[in-house]
Amino acid sequence: MIPQVTSWRPGAGLFPLGAGARVRGPQAGLARDLLGLPPDGDGPAEITLRLVDDAALGPEGYVLTVTPERADVAAAAEAGLRWGVQTMRQLRTPAGLPCGAVRDVPRHAWRGVMIDVARWWRPLSFLYAYVDLLALHKFNVLHLHLTDDQGWRFEVRAHPRLTEAGAYRRRSPAGHARDGVSDDTPHGGFYTQRELRELAAYAAARGVTVVPEIEFPGHSQAAVAACPWLGHPGDEPVEVRTTWGISPHVLNVGDRAVAFARDVLDELCEVFPSPYVHIGGDEVRGEEWARSPEAARRVADEGLPGPAALLGWWGRLLAGHLRGLGRRAVAWDDMLDHDPPEDMVIMAWRGVDRVEAALRAGHDVVAAPHTHTYLDYAESDGPGEPVSISGPLPLETVYGFDAGDAVLGLQAQLWGEYLPTRERFDYNAFPRLCAVAEAAWSRGRDLGGFTRRLSAHLPLLDELGVRYRRPGHAGASGLAEGARHVRV
Ligand code: ACM
């Protein structure tokens, strides 16, 4: 099983998990779906799902007890029942479910995976498949990176230009960014609010909260291209960025840009019920603010020490707006140096030291250090690895990451630049996501045990059509680099 359960006591015999099995209790529909059982099972075998008063299980823990007659999942809340069903799914063999007892409680409350849909638009079928894969591994957060310099993917009714113009770019890099070669193929696409609402509901029904991210005030070139009044007038018109890297084009600090940000967050919160909303805040280049008279006025009016402090001003403003909507802001750890509000969740990406700094400053912290959780990094430095932004980040390093008990949780990142297709994405994601799942859910580390359980788990990934990187296989020959998804 992956992630490893808290305790497992084997029993004797098998529960016959066949088409005749009856399923009763809350989440019975999901259990039938995930276990492939018809709604009208009438055999003697019975799966029972029960809510019990056991505070020690917390909101997500469960007890699974399997005998030859019955498989019983008990939990204090429905989330625990869902994870119990996922465990059954992993335990099952063609002959049935082995008898025994599992007691399982997650270590971390936030077990996330970030998927970048800004660099490459991904079909909805891709996102649904990943929701299923996340839930299978007991991840409970899908962080969707919806906007960046290279594309705006979230429909905003008040500002239709964002998706009419900001969702498309003229061309994309081909090969590594440093080679400066382009494919000259337009790329783009966006998601309607209805599509995202349905995705969020589907995910919620499987125990996964979709946490949306809109990048403010940097990584905003697509927004500025679509709505030039958001940016800083220059000699050249700005287009949706066609190269990787960090754009100098950031949002200005005028009242109209502030009203825009509020409009976007209002609509975002109508679509996503998540209690958390990510506002970006990373890698904000300051050259436009440094030479902007409007920024100088804002700095003076707000009594800020200088234009760089406008990042914190943006962060406090957006977090305050979200607070008014009953949500909590999450930001990348760059915000930590700019007086963030106390209730801001810090997503610490620049290193383990940033996790510690954010904890020292009293924040709730999601550990996302690039040194351990950036799965877009190559797994090895072998010559056969496909192009990537950095690396190597071996499976063992990912598995070995211990974020400590003080964090809210931890999260894997899959930045999209070099992962244009599902196939490329799978190759980078798996099996390292299995290691993150275990680092997030389980206490303790046992690399030998993990490696053995991973071997037993890979056939399930095969069955689900995941094109994972075979452990120990330093190379990716045969991976199709073409077939990029374009929705126009
Ligand atoms: C980041 O990798 N810029 C958060």
Side-chain angles (χ1 to χ4, degrees), residues 114 119 145 148 213 215 219 246 278 280-283 332-334 347-350 368 370 374 376-377 413 415:
M114 189 219 65
R119 271 48 179 266
H145 184 76
D148 215 299
E213 178 187 0
E215 278 272 19
H219 284 280
I246 309 160
H278 202 304
D282 58 316
E283 300 178 316
W332 299 108
D333 71 70
D334 313 50
M347 194 165 270
W349 69 278
R350 287 185 292 172
H370 72 100
Y374 272 34
D376 51 304
Y377 287 9
Q413 278 53 242
W415 296 104

